[in-house]
Amino acid sequence: MSIRLIVTDLDGTFVDPVGEVSALNRQALGFAAECGVPVVVATGRPSRWLQVLDGLAGVHPEVVVSNGAGIYHLHQRRHTVVEGLDPTVALQVADDLREAIPGLVFALEWGEQFGCEPGLPQDRGDWLRVGPLRELADEPKPVLKLCAFHLGLDSDTLARLGREVIGERLTMTHSHLGDYGLLEISAPGVTKASGLIGLCQRLGVDAAEVVAFGDMPNDLPMLAWAGHGYAIAEGHPTLLNAGFRLTEGPQEEAVGRAILNLLG
């Protein structure tokens, strides 16, 4: 197996349930660096939530963020690539979703900032703006994601209902399994895989030479695109039933174990 690039999701994949990186995963990063194999992070997180990568040796500085809608450079502290969605289309889709699924609350993801409608519990900070969706859509900055929250439906249910409404107008995925449902909606064709394609072209790496790890439906396009896709054994049934290889060992060490085995 020829491996020239390793890609990993963060939450539920490379970091543990409290958001920390295990000693074994840190060891694997160092070993990959010794082998000359870059390790790229591809996450649904926005650029403002990458603190876990600060000082983490062995991570490639270009991070695929917001499910592929942006590339964020850790050293330059800025987005180097942005694939924003059309705010007009986002508003149309939000109107249709609101009619079909009562109880939704919407938000716009800008990367360094986040804007949401009233009624969504959020920590306060300089990064947050609260207001009507149409007012938020007038902000003169690229929209990386339209987010739809529901406090009474889970993400799998929302995805099933939302897919029928959105169709091919925008790309819809989900990754959250918690106390509320969340849809993450991006520009047409934007996925973690699309973000990685451009990065790999710049690095001169073919998809067949990529190993990728993930645990949720938003990782599906990435694992299908990579030459060697691995689903975390404790991951979402969508991935577990898709025919990917499965990791071994506890979740917080699974990626590290696989890296050491593959490169060792």
Side-chain angles (χ1 to χ4, degrees):
M1 181 188 299
S2 175
I3 302 172
R4 296 188 57 206
L5 186 76
I6 295 169
V7 184
T8 181
D9 171 49
L10 280 180
D11 298 289
T13 301
F14 198 71
V15 299
D16 65 21
V18 297
E20 300 293 336
V21 179
S22 68
L24 185 63
N25 282 358
R26 291 175 182 270
Q27 177 188 348
L29 283 177
F31 185 64
E34 292 176 6
C35 296
V37 178
V39 177
V40 172
V41 169
T43 178
R45 292 191 188 194
S47 54
R48 67 181 179 279
W49 287 352
L50 299 180
Q51 293 85 352
V52 68
L53 302 181
D54 291 344
L56 193 60
V59 172
H60 193 273
E62 293 178 279
V63 180
V64 178
V65 295
S66 298
N67 289 329
I71 302 290
Y72 186 80
H73 201 290
L74 294 174
H75 300 165
Q76 299 177 14
R77 295 294 178 182
R78 67 182 183 92
H79 288 93
T80 55
V81 176
V82 172
E83 298 290 346
L85 55 83
D86 184 337
T88 301
V89 177
L91 290 173
Q92 292 171 347
V93 166
D95 286 343
D96 293 343
L97 285 171
R98 205 188 303 270
E99 181 178 354
I101 312 172
L104 285 172
V105 179
F106 289 92
L108 297 180
E109 178 61 74
W110 297 304
E112 294 303 308
Q113 293 182 303
F114 181 81
C116 68
E117 296 179 323
L120 183 64
Q122 283 288 337
D123 295 330
R124 299 291 168 171
D126 294 339
W127 53 272
L128 176 66
R129 181 177 173 191
V130 178
L133 188 62
R134 275 174 166 71
E135 181 180 310
L136 297 172
D138 285 337
E139 288 285 336
K141 45 195 169 188
V143 177
L144 276 71
K145 289 192 296 186
L146 169 69
C147 299
F149 297 84
H150 201 292
L151 300 181
L153 298 174
D154 62 38
S155 295
D156 286 337
T157 301
L158 275 187
R160 176 175 53 81
L161 298 173
R163 191 171 293 111
E164 299 176 3
V165 177
I166 297 171
E168 302 298 321
R169 290 180 290 173
L170 296 173
T171 298
M172 185 208 74
T173 189
H174 67 294
S175 60
H176 182 81
L177 291 177
D179 296 332
Y180 58 85
L182 169 61
L183 296 182
E184 301 170 80
I185 304 166
S186 306
V190 169
T191 65
K192 290 185 180 184
S194 70
L196 287 165
I197 287 171
L199 176 58
C200 285
Q201 288 174 343
R202 295 195 297 277
L203 296 176
V205 175
D206 292 330
E209 302 170 307
V210 176
V211 174
F213 299 91
D215 73 314
M216 284 287 164
N218 65 331
D219 296 312
L220 182 59
M222 174 177 77
L223 299 192
W225 165 81
H228 314 282
Y230 283 79
I232 301 300
E234 298 90 343
H236 194 279
T238 299
L239 270 64
L240 302 184
N241 297 328
F244 300 117
R245 299 172 180 87
L246 299 182
T247 58
E248 299 178 355
Q251 176 268 316
E252 60 268 21
E253 297 182 349
V255 174
R257 287 172 183 264
I259 291 174
L260 294 173
N261 288 335
L262 289 168
L263 299 183

